Amino acid sequence: MKKIVLLCASGMSTSILVNKMKEAAAAAGKDYEIAAYSASEAATKAADADAVLLGPQIRFSKDKIAAELPGVPVEAIDMRMYGRMDGKGTVELAEKIMKG
């Protein structure tokens, strides 16, 4: 099972997107563990993730978070995708960065 972690300022705003992602993954027959946390929890909650996605409000932290998570691909979610709560598109973004 692949683990996808979303990080945002407090861990709250991404919870709706996590649910949309879980729905999209299930509809596609994919078994992913998807969770959201505060960016301050990156080192403890995302160190074993297969992909880490950042909410647009913390995209400026990408380099810092990537340095805390060696070997884990980190990418910011596009603001439009985030605003639309596009679960399918966000799952596809995670899959893209997992492939390298």
Side-chain angles (χ1 to χ4, degrees):
M1 177 187 301
K2 298 284 187 180
K3 180 177 178 180
I4 301 169
V5 172
L6 279 68
L7 298 174
C8 69
S10 67
M12 302 301 287
S13 62
T14 52
S15 61
I16 296 168
L17 184 54
V18 164
N19 290 333
K20 299 276 187 183
M21 291 174 68
K22 287 178 178 179
E23 291 169 11
K30 297 177 179 171
D31 188 22
Y32 293 151
E33 177 186 341
I34 306 170
Y37 302 102
S38 166
S40 63
E41 297 179 282
T44 57
K45 301 290 188 178
D48 62 343
D50 295 290
V52 171
L53 300 175
L54 307 179
Q57 69 275 30
I58 62 161
R59 65 184 174 277
F60 64 89
S61 300
K62 181 181 173 186
D63 291 341
K64 178 182 176 281
I65 291 170
E68 291 177 26
L69 303 170
V72 178
V74 177
E75 187 58 70
I77 302 168
D78 177 76
M79 198 176 305
R80 288 176 300 273
M81 186 183 302
Y82 190 87
R84 289 192 311 263
M85 291 288 141
D86 181 356
K88 181 177 184 282
T90 308
V91 167
E92 289 170 355
L93 173 63
E95 291 172 337
K96 178 181 171 189
I97 69 168
M98 282 190 274
K99 291 178 183 165

